[in-house]
């Protein structure tokens, strides 16, 4: 695919794009908006939700109180949405749907990043476990309480399908689990009411949101790692994808200050990855020659991918980041402290559920252990870092400083 054949906004959608006029609709029927497409309406509901606002105080990698400039879940989400929209525009997809899926994709994340998720999964092991993707679906179909006529946000089928399946099908052709684990309960329960076709591939709008997530965190984690002093330019030179762009920057700007040196390098890494996706997905589309969005659902393969060369480079970058940043002793020390907070709160609420307060404590004495554990998990998963720390300080004599 040549870059002179990509979309730059405006014009007709591609035949294989999701078309809001043909949307499968909402679980609870509503009168359509005269001023917005269904996908635009979804995006707006997501942005105005409580769960979206909470993302500003949820950890990406570094806890936000350590430095105002580190990414949070919210800033990460905004960056993902920007890349997803750019990719959607290039392929003449529905940009609003791609943006909506990107904006909602992290709604299920707990406080303290993947640390909180791992501990919640551990504490919920006897009750079905915890899965952030499934919890995101539960947030937008049950837990958001904003509208008079329904729980959740009553998003379109296409947005929910993209949220659940943006990383690929959840079931095989015969309905078998692909990972040997049962479907998360929240997904199974909702799918029984509104079939999301869990064995099919997701729309291209969902696929661009998924790969935009990879591109965003691969690049901005480098930026945050440099800021934190856990990464250095000498270390980054060892990674082919980054080192190649760093050499270009150094050759063109030999006297550049270190801050701009980092920004210029990560900007170029992002550009290389985006352009690789556009080329590769363009080639895949040419081979498949889809005539409708149904051809995408039934393609039997993910279309929006990196090239084989970029996949190798990206895996090398991820290994490098795990070895040098995600598992750095400073990060692991704070992670252990965050684990203690989540574990302590879960145990406390299970023993004294009234401590959750408000509507979360309503009629808790009538809940069996399964229902109580699910309520505690939902309560904890919705917390911001700040609220979790404040709750721990309220209920315990000592609370880690997360430093």
């Amino acid at each position: 695919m040549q870059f002179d054949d990509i979309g730059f906004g405006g014009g007709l959608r591609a035949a294989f794009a999701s078309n809001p006029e043909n949307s499968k609709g909402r679980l609870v029927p509503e009168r359509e908006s005269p001023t917005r497409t269904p996908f635009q309406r979804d995006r707006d509901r997501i942005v105005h939700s409580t769960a979206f606002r909470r993302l500003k105080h949820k950890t990406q990698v570094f806890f936000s109180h350590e430095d105002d400039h580190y990414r949070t879940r919210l800033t990460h989400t905004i960056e993902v949405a920007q890349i997803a929209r750019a990719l959607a525009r290039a392929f003449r997809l529905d940009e609003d749907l791609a943006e909506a899926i990107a904006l909602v994709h992290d709604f299920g994340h707990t406080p303290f990043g993947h640390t909180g998720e791992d501990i919640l999964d551990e504490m919920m092991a006897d009750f079905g476990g915890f899965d952030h993707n499934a919890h995101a679906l539960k947030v937008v179909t049950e837990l958001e309480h904003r509208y008079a006529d329904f729980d959740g946000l009553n998003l379109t089928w296409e947005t929910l399908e993209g949220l659940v399946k943006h990383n690929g099908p959840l079931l095989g052709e015969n309905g078998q689990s692909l990972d040997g684990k049962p479907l998360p309960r929240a997904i199974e329960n909702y799918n029984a009411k509104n079939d999301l076709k869990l064995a099919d591939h997701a729309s291209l709008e969902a696929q661009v949101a998924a790969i935009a997530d990879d591109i965003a965190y691969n690049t901005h984690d480098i930026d945050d790692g440099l800021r934190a002093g856990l990464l250095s330019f000498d270390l980054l030179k060892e990674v082919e994808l980054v080192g190649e762009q760093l050499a270009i920057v150094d050759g063109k700007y030999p006297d550049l200050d270190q801050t701009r040196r980092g920004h210029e390098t990560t900007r170029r890494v992002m550009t290389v990855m985006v352009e690789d996706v556009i080329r590769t997905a363009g080639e895949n589309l040419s081979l498949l020659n889809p005539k409708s969005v149904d051809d995408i659902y039934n393609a039997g393969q993910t279309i929006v991918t990196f090239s084989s060369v970029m996949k190798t480079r990206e895996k090398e970058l991820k290994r490098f980041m795990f070895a040098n940043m995600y598992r750095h002793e400073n990060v692991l020390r704070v992670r252990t402290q965050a684990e203690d907070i989540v574990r302590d709160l879960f145990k406390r609420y299970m023993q004294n559920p009234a401590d959750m307060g408000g509507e979360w404590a309503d009629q808790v004495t009538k809940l069996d252990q399964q229902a109580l554990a699910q309520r505690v998990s939902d309560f904890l998963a919705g917390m911001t870092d700040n609220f979790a720390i404040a709750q721990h300080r309220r209920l315990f004599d000592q609370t880690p400083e997360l430093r």
Side-chain angles (χ1 to χ4, degrees):
M1 182 178 185
Q2 300 300 316
F3 289 153
D4 57 4
D5 190 35
I6 67 174
F8 288 94
L12 297 175
R13 294 180 189 84
F16 46 77
S18 298
N19 189 334
E21 294 180 3
N22 300 327
S23 171
K24 292 180 172 65
R26 306 175 189 278
L27 184 62
V28 179
E30 296 183 59
R31 182 179 69 86
E32 293 297 341
S33 168
T35 59
R36 295 172 292 168
T37 71
F39 302 152
Q40 288 172 338
R41 204 175 185 186
D42 281 0
R43 178 203 57 211
D44 296 347
R45 288 183 177 185
I46 290 163
V47 168
H48 288 282
S49 68
T50 302
F52 186 75
R53 293 195 300 277
R54 285 177 181 154
L55 295 176
K56 70 177 180 178
H57 291 303
K58 290 196 176 192
T59 291
Q60 181 65 21
V61 176
F62 298 101
F63 297 107
S64 58
H65 70 262
E66 297 179 277
D67 189 308
D68 288 341
H69 295 147
Y70 290 137
R71 270 72 173 188
T72 65
R73 281 286 166 196
L74 180 60
T75 55
H76 163 71
T77 293
I78 292 170
E79 292 182 25
V80 174
Q82 178 268 318
I83 298 170
R85 190 159 193 131
L87 291 172
R89 182 169 297 177
F91 297 117
R92 297 183 176 88
L93 307 177
D94 190 286
E95 295 178 36
D96 300 308
L97 177 58
E99 184 179 22
I101 295 168
L103 291 171
V104 79
H105 85 283
D106 267 356
F107 270 23
H109 275 290
T110 64
F112 312 125
H114 288 288
T115 300
E117 179 180 357
D118 291 345
I119 297 304
L120 262 189
D121 190 39
E122 172 192 310
M123 303 309 291
M124 289 290 291
D126 294 334
F127 306 101
F130 178 84
D131 177 89
H132 76 264
N133 229 29
H135 186 69
L137 180 67
K138 189 171 186 179
V139 168
V140 298
T141 59
E142 294 182 40
L143 299 179
E144 280 282 331
H145 295 157
R146 305 185 63 81
Y147 301 95
D149 293 328
F150 46 79
D151 289 338
L153 304 181
N154 200 32
L155 303 176
T156 61
W157 184 93
E158 289 78 9
T159 298
L160 296 176
E161 184 258 358
L163 168 61
V164 170
K165 295 179 350 196
H166 62 274
N167 288 322
L170 273 64
L171 298 175
E173 291 182 4
N174 299 318
Q176 75 276 19
S177 170
L178 293 177
D179 60 4
K181 300 177 182 178
L183 279 177
R185 184 174 284 107
I187 294 177
E188 185 177 34
N189 290 345
Y190 185 81
N191 197 61
K193 297 182 289 184
N194 190 13
D195 186 3
L196 297 176
K197 306 295 183 184
L198 300 180
D200 292 349
H201 279 72
S203 66
L204 288 180
E205 287 82 1
Q207 293 183 36
V208 300
I211 207 159
D213 187 26
D214 289 341
I215 294 171
Y217 77 70
N218 275 327
T219 51
H220 67 47
D221 284 0
I222 295 172
D223 190 40
D224 282 351
L226 287 168
R227 174 177 292 277
L230 304 187
L231 301 180
S232 68
F233 290 107
D234 286 342
L235 275 175
L236 288 167
K237 287 178 182 178
E238 301 173 6
V239 184
E240 185 176 12
L241 177 60
V242 184
E244 186 178 84
Q245 298 307 310
L246 181 57
I248 293 172
V249 171
D250 288 346
K252 190 172 183 179
Y253 308 102
D255 299 320
L256 201 61
D257 65 80
Q258 297 305 292
T259 298
R260 294 195 194 199
R261 188 185 183 200
H263 291 324
E264 185 67 20
T265 300
T266 54
R267 179 181 74 85
R268 288 169 180 265
V269 171
M270 181 179 294
T271 298
V272 167
M273 297 180 85
V274 167
E275 291 180 354
D276 179 86
V277 169
I278 292 175
R279 289 192 188 93
T280 306
E283 292 168 1
N284 292 340
L285 284 168
S286 295
L287 291 172
L288 182 65
N289 194 24
K291 303 299 183 183
S292 70
V293 68
D294 288 333
D295 290 343
I296 303 298
Y297 294 142
N298 300 318
Q301 67 180 84
T302 301
I303 294 166
V304 182
T305 65
F306 294 119
S307 66
S308 58
V309 172
M310 184 59 71
K311 285 178 183 176
T312 299
R313 289 180 161 192
E314 195 228 6
K315 287 179 181 177
E316 181 196 13
L317 174 58
K318 284 180 176 175
R319 287 194 297 269
F320 170 85
M321 295 298 284
F322 269 98
N324 293 280
M325 194 170 90
Y326 305 140
R327 292 177 182 152
H328 191 280
E329 60 180 351
N330 292 351
V331 174
L332 292 178
R333 182 183 67 251
V334 179
R335 177 185 171 114
T336 300
Q337 296 171 342
E339 287 176 354
D340 291 341
I341 290 176
V342 177
R343 192 179 285 111
D344 288 348
L345 288 174
F346 186 93
K347 291 178 179 179
R348 176 66 177 247
Y349 294 141
M350 287 296 291
Q351 294 170 354
N352 301 283
D355 285 341
M356 289 186 287
E359 63 181 16
W360 294 96
D362 288 349
Q363 301 188 26
V364 286
T365 57
K366 298 181 180 180
L367 301 177
D368 61 24
Q369 284 294 289
Q370 174 68 49
L372 176 59
Q374 191 60 64
R375 184 175 292 191
V376 170
S377 176
D378 290 345
F379 183 50
L380 273 170
M383 290 183 180
T384 63
D385 297 4
N386 296 344
F387 187 71
I389 292 169
Q391 287 291 93
H392 195 277
R393 285 175 177 158
R394 182 176 70 85
L395 297 171
F396 296 91
D397 293 334
Q398 290 186 320
T399 298
E401 292 295 325
L402 300 184
R403 295 187 187 280

